[in-house]
Amino acid sequence: MLFRSKLDNLVGIVDRNRIQATGPTKDIFDIPEIETKWKAFGWNVLTIDGHDVKAILGALDMAETMKGKPTVIVADTVKGKGVSFAENTAAFHNGIMSKEQYEQALSEIETARAAAV
């Protein structure tokens, strides 16, 4: 067995949003089949919608039941989700919002939150 200590209490989360500071990861540093790579290292792999709180909690519960190896959760997300001007935009990976953008972002997030209740 790869993990002598089993490490079944170890859980990692990979945020797969497919964007880095200078553009799409597929164009810069593509890591295809990330699940296959983690499995090859002996990890239990779960893939979820990283924006779905129930899916996140469910994956953490499933990880807790895994015995004999660590678990990695690959969370598919959208960079800047819910903020119209920042969604899927590499410029906001490490960029700074103007005061107007900040206020717009807060408004859009609050509107989405209110609609979800």
Side-chain angles (χ1 to χ4, degrees), residues 3 21 41 44 53 56 65 80-81 83 99 104-105 107 114-116:
F3 295 101
F41 286 109
N44 174 47
V53 174
I56 295 166
T65 67
K81 183 167 177 71
V83 179
K99 183 176 189 236
Q104 179 182 343
S107 174

Side-chain angles (χ1 to χ4, degrees), residues 69-109:
K69 59 183 170 179
T71 295
V72 65
I73 300 168
V74 179
D76 286 318
T77 62
V78 175
K79 173 82 62 196
K81 183 167 177 71
V83 179
S84 61
F85 60 87
E87 197 164 299
N88 266 330
T89 304
F92 286 96
H93 179 82
N94 58 352
I96 298 172
M97 293 182 189
S98 68
K99 183 176 189 236
E100 293 79 19
Q101 288 173 322
Y102 174 76
E103 289 169 358
Q104 179 182 343
L106 285 180
S107 174
E108 291 178 13
I109 292 167

